[in-house]
Amino acid sequence: MDKESEKDRDKPIDAYPEGCRCHKQRIDNLCQARDVGIERFVECLEEDPHECPYSMLIGHVHYCKYPLRILIAKKKNH
């Protein structure tokens, strides 16, 4: 884990900018995402990913670039 990810892990969830579900939800009720082996992204599994400012469409797949969500999804896989 790089130093920036370690800093993100230690921030309270309320310290992140508004605009995505992660900011509004408790850590045990985050948006759906899964690690697909890409270092800085996870696949977004939400029905409406276009509403999240951290979602980006590549091909026909939406990916999440929200640092805390990525960290949680990757930790869940290990």
Side-chain angles (χ1 to χ4, degrees), residues 14-29:
D14 291 337
Y16 285 88
E18 292 186 44
C20 93
R21 184 172 161 189
C22 293
H23 180 81
K24 298 174 191 170
Q25 301 292 327
R26 298 192 76 59
I27 199 148
D28 57 346
N29 192 26

Side-chain angles (χ1 to χ4, degrees), residues 59-72:
H60 296 287
V61 180
H62 280 88
Y63 291 95
C64 178
K65 57 184 179 178
Y66 190 61
L68 181 60
R69 187 66 192 97
I70 293 167
L71 182 68
I72 292 167

Side-chain angles (χ1 to χ4, degrees), residues 29-74:
N29 192 26
L30 297 176
C31 56
Q32 298 297 307
R34 71 177 168 155
D35 183 15
V36 290
I38 302 172
E39 184 178 343
R40 300 212 183 260
F41 301 99
V42 292
E43 183 178 356
C44 177
L45 303 175
E46 289 294 300
E47 290 183 27
D48 56 356
H50 58 279
E51 293 182 11
C52 178
Y54 297 98
S55 175
M56 59 187 265
L57 182 64
I58 300 175
H60 296 287
V61 180
H62 280 88
Y63 291 95
C64 178
K65 57 184 179 178
Y66 190 61
L68 181 60
R69 187 66 192 97
I70 293 167
L71 182 68
I72 292 167
K74 291 187 177 296

